[in-house]
Amino acid sequence: MKASQLKTFVEIFLEEQGAKIKSRGDQLLEVKLPKDLPLQWHSNKILLSFTQKAHQKEPESELMTIGHPFLENLFQLCRIRARYSIRYETLPRKKGRSPSKNRAPDLEEGWSWSDPQAIFSPLIYMAYIIQNSTMEAPDDLETFLLDPWTGEHIGDGIAEIKNWEKGSAEPANERLVLPVPDMKPLLKWGLSILDQRLRKRVLKTKYRHELELKDEIGNIENYYRQLIEEVRKGNRRNQLTIAEREEKIRLLQLDWKRRIQEATEYLKPRTIVRLSAVGVLYRPRWGLQAMRVAVRSKSKDKRKVRGVQSWLVADHSGTDWRSTLCVECRKETGGFVVPFEGGFLCATCGDLEAGAAEKRGRRVAS
């Protein structure tokens, strides 16, 4: 975990809990904690450093590394208060022109595109804590930002988190708010990204454990070989019969085996992944909705969208509608789309006969 990421996390969380924070350089934070914050710290004032260089500059500061009591208490408080938050980004100063719906993909028969609308489109922020079972591989924090309406992995979301408090808890009245799609596919998507990120690290952790286990087994074997050799040689002060000597050697060999089994189990490589935080960041965009030709909405509430929705989105600064991924094969849909739950199907996945459509049972109802 980078020092800048940890600093951003600590700063944002403490500010949300009512702490007063003053920056004293790139990696130093002067913090005044509220009296009612259950952090179990001996003082309500603390100076936090996030790099060795910053700690050397201010030796009285607390160096924030995994395992520090203050940081561990902070993580525990996060777990208790369940990290989940919603923010709406500020509207752009210049609204600009929306992309033309003529530039949108073709729809299957019976569907048409609505006029472009000013919307808020949700982005999903996820933070996972990675815990390793070896001291040489410290715990880590992985974050990423997902766009469920385009199928895009935007990045680690650090810039968005830094600006989190600049947003609003309520949307602007003139904008439609798109719903958050089903979270189960989004969580699976997040885990698949995490799996790709962790593969190399897991292999390195496994390699470290193998080296640690090899060294530990070597130490155990040397220790018991020495004991057994001493029993075999014997001495005048401790004369044993042959039967007694063989029994003692047998017991030492059993204990030797037990110690190796314990070391193997204790040093077994383990990586535990835990979802620590989820946030929904609503971004102002242009939206284009796929609508049934024969159905017209009578709703007067322009901010709420209910039921199954299929939307294209475009950034305010862009001139084209963002490409979207097929919800079945996760490939770009291209120039022809079929409206589907929470998105679109590509031409290949959308070419379903009646029997196959019934089998899936998820095609948008007429």
Side-chain angles (χ1 to χ4, degrees):
M1 182 177 180
K2 295 180 181 178
S4 58
Q5 291 177 310
L6 182 59
K7 178 175 175 288
T8 299
F9 168 75
V10 171
E11 186 175 4
I12 290 174
F13 180 74
L14 289 177
E15 282 182 342
E16 287 186 351
Q17 306 307 312
K20 295 181 179 180
I21 296 178
K22 180 181 178 181
S23 178
R24 284 178 50 179
D26 291 339
Q27 300 298 337
L28 282 166
L29 291 179
E30 187 177 299
V31 180
K32 184 178 181 181
L33 301 171
K35 293 181 180 180
D36 58 347
L37 190 65
L39 263 181
Q40 298 179 355
W41 195 248
H42 53 78
S43 173
N44 68 331
K45 292 183 179 181
I46 182 173
L47 181 61
L48 307 179
S49 56
F50 294 86
T51 62
Q52 285 286 353
K53 185 177 180 180
H55 182 62
Q56 290 171 1
K57 183 180 178 181
E58 298 287 350
E60 75 280 7
S61 66
E62 302 288 342
L63 180 58
M64 292 294 96
T65 56
I66 299 298
H68 190 282
F70 183 84
L71 196 56
E72 291 300 314
N73 291 347
L74 196 69
F75 286 155
Q76 182 61 26
L77 187 60
C78 289
R79 298 184 190 107
I80 294 171
R81 299 198 172 181
R83 295 280 290 158
Y84 179 79
S85 183
I86 295 176
R87 286 291 185 274
Y88 291 82
E89 285 187 344
T90 55
L91 299 179
R93 293 181 180 179
K94 293 183 179 180
K95 191 173 183 180
R97 295 180 60 184
S98 66
S100 170
K101 66 179 180 180
N102 295 329
R103 301 174 70 92
D106 293 331
L107 286 165
E108 69 171 343
E109 186 179 353
W111 291 82
S112 67
W113 293 112
S114 68
D115 291 330
Q117 304 173 63
I119 64 166
F120 274 109
S121 174
L123 305 177
I124 310 302
Y125 176 83
M126 295 182 185
Y128 286 89
I129 290 180
I130 316 301
Q131 295 175 305
N132 297 292
S133 58
T134 174
M135 293 300 293
E136 293 185 13
D139 294 348
D140 206 349
L141 180 69
E142 285 287 346
T143 63
F144 37 84
L145 196 64
L146 307 177
D147 187 341
W149 290 102
T150 65
E152 181 185 8
H153 171 207
I154 297 175
D156 58 15
I158 295 301
E160 286 77 8
I161 289 299
K162 285 182 177 179
N163 296 323
W164 196 264
E165 288 303 311
K166 295 179 182 179
S168 169
E170 295 293 332
N173 291 330
E174 72 273 13
R175 286 184 176 257
L176 218 68
V177 179
L178 298 196
V180 176
D182 185 6
M183 284 298 296
K184 287 184 179 179
L186 294 177
L187 290 171
K188 289 182 179 179
W189 180 15
L191 286 173
S192 68
I193 295 172
L194 195 61
D195 179 65
Q196 294 174 5
R197 290 188 180 184
L198 292 181
R199 284 181 182 179
K200 289 184 178 179
R201 267 184 281 175
V202 168
L203 289 175
K204 288 181 180 179
T205 301
K206 184 178 179 181
Y207 178 69
R208 289 194 194 101
H209 276 277
E210 288 174 351
L211 293 179
E212 290 177 4
L213 181 60
K214 185 178 179 180
D215 290 342
E216 184 64 19
I217 288 176
N219 293 333
I220 292 171
E221 288 178 343
N222 290 335
Y223 174 73
Y224 280 95
R225 283 196 181 102
Q226 184 178 349
L227 290 179
I228 290 172
E229 186 64 23
E230 289 176 357
V231 172
R232 282 177 176 164
K233 288 181 177 179
N235 55 61
R236 294 179 180 179
R237 294 181 182 179
N238 186 19
Q239 292 291 338
L240 298 174
T241 65
I242 295 176
E244 290 173 337
R245 187 182 298 115
E246 292 300 322
E247 177 62 16
K248 191 166 185 179
I249 290 173
R250 187 183 72 83
L251 293 176
L252 286 172
Q253 288 173 335
L254 288 175
D255 199 43
W256 178 353
K257 183 179 180 181
R258 178 187 62 80
R259 287 283 304 277
I260 288 179
Q261 288 174 343
E262 288 178 350
T264 302
E265 180 63 26
Y266 178 74
L267 293 174
K268 184 183 294 183
R270 296 181 181 88
T271 299
I272 301 171
V273 178
R274 181 167 50 81
L275 181 62
S276 176
V278 175
V280 181
L281 178 64
Y282 283 95
R283 177 159 289 172
R285 283 170 159 178
W286 293 106
L288 201 62
Q289 184 182 11
M291 303 181 70
R292 280 286 184 182
V293 173
V295 178
R296 295 183 180 179
S297 176
K298 297 180 181 180
S299 174
K300 295 181 180 180
D301 188 351
K302 295 183 179 181
R303 282 176 47 190
K304 294 183 180 178
V305 181
R306 297 178 181 176
V308 175
Q309 305 291 334
S310 299
W311 286 81
L312 287 179
V313 297
D315 294 329
H316 275 276
S317 58
T319 57
D320 291 311
W321 299 104
R322 303 291 293 271
S323 60
T324 183
L325 299 184
C326 173
V327 296
E328 286 289 334
C329 67
R330 304 303 296 173
K331 296 180 180 178
E332 286 197 11
T333 52
F336 177 84
V337 294
V338 178
F340 205 60
E341 287 188 7
F344 298 94
L345 293 171
C346 63
T348 302
C349 296
D351 187 18
L352 307 174
E353 296 181 359
E358 288 178 8
K359 206 170 191 180
R360 277 184 200 187
R362 295 201 300 161
R363 190 77 173 268
V364 176
S366 301

